[in-house]
Amino acid sequence: MNIMLFHSTYGLRPAVRAAADRLRAAGHEVWTPDLFEGSTFETVEEGLEFKERIGKDELLKRAVLAAAPYSERGLVYAGFSFGASVAQTLALGDDKARGLLLLHGTSDIAANASVDELPVQLHVAEPDAFETDDWLSSWYLQMGRAGADVEIYRYAGAGHLYTDPDLPDWDEEAAEATWRVALGFLDSL
């Protein structure tokens, strides 16, 4: 599978590279575009501030330019938190998208979004301040109306970005469970 993997607001950190290596070891081709052009952050607040300074439109432009050379191959879009929202936006706009793997995040869905049974898998903490129960219920219904085939996995007691071993949210058990399920999902595409 060809996977475009987007980083979180912390930037292109070692955990993203490690995730890409894990996916490559499972036989996938993976690209990890650096939407922050080398900047990484120690706190989510610093990353959010940087993201706001660059702006959503510029970040989406960078993501589209990164994916464009490979989209004809039929990409699986994937991402962590903010990167998941970017992946979702691109997947919903790419009629050749093969799948969408969301880790720790979702995004708004355009009212006219339409896909043809796009396989989508979401992994989030429970509870998650960034992905509340009400938001996820609404998101799930909207994705279904758009034509996506959605699976949601929740991890009780895990922190928001629980797959990153260098952050306080790290939860090894939840991270390993996530990767087992995600790799099975990718193998099914």
Side-chain angles (χ1 to χ4, degrees):
M1 205 52 50
N2 297 301
I3 302 170
M4 187 65 54
L5 180 62
F6 294 101
H7 60 75
S8 74
T9 57
Y10 286 94
L12 187 56
R13 296 168 46 85
V16 179
R17 289 185 182 95
D21 289 344
R22 184 186 288 240
L23 295 168
R24 288 181 188 110
H28 305 290
E29 190 162 357
V30 184
W31 296 273
T32 55
D34 187 351
L35 302 182
F36 289 177
E37 298 177 336
S39 295
T40 59
F41 303 96
E42 295 300 316
T43 68
V44 69
E45 293 80 14
E46 291 171 336
L48 288 171
E49 183 181 310
F50 182 81
K51 182 181 87 150
E52 293 306 314
R53 270 199 320 268
I54 294 174
K56 182 179 181 178
D57 290 344
E58 174 61 23
L59 291 168
L60 281 174
K61 177 183 167 188
R62 291 176 186 182
V64 167
L65 289 173
Y70 311 103
S71 64
E72 284 297 316
R73 300 180 187 194
L75 290 170
V76 172
Y77 292 92
F80 296 94
S81 192
F82 153 72
S85 70
V86 171
Q88 177 185 305
T89 300
L90 268 59
L92 292 179
D94 181 352
D95 61 358
K96 290 181 174 49
R98 298 279 308 275
L100 176 59
L101 176 60
L102 303 171
L103 303 164
H104 321 295
T106 61
S107 184
D108 294 330
I109 301 165
N112 63 347
S114 178
V115 293
D116 187 17
E117 297 181 12
L118 179 71
V120 178
Q121 193 173 86
L122 168 64
H123 296 266
V124 291
E126 182 178 32
D128 188 319
F130 296 101
E131 300 289 326
T132 64
D133 291 344
D134 288 346
W135 168 260
L136 287 174
S137 294
S138 174
W139 176 85
Y140 178 81
L141 292 172
Q142 290 176 54
M143 285 296 279
R145 278 195 286 272
D149 181 15
V150 180
E151 299 176 347
I152 299 177
Y153 294 86
R154 306 287 307 268
Y155 300 88
H160 173 66
L161 225 110
Y162 63 83
T163 58
D164 188 327
D166 296 324
L167 295 176
D169 288 347
W170 167 242
D171 184 314
E172 184 175 12
E173 185 177 329
E176 287 306 313
T178 295
W179 286 115
R180 271 193 308 277
V181 174
L183 288 170
F185 170 70
L186 293 168
D187 286 346
S188 74
L189 299 178

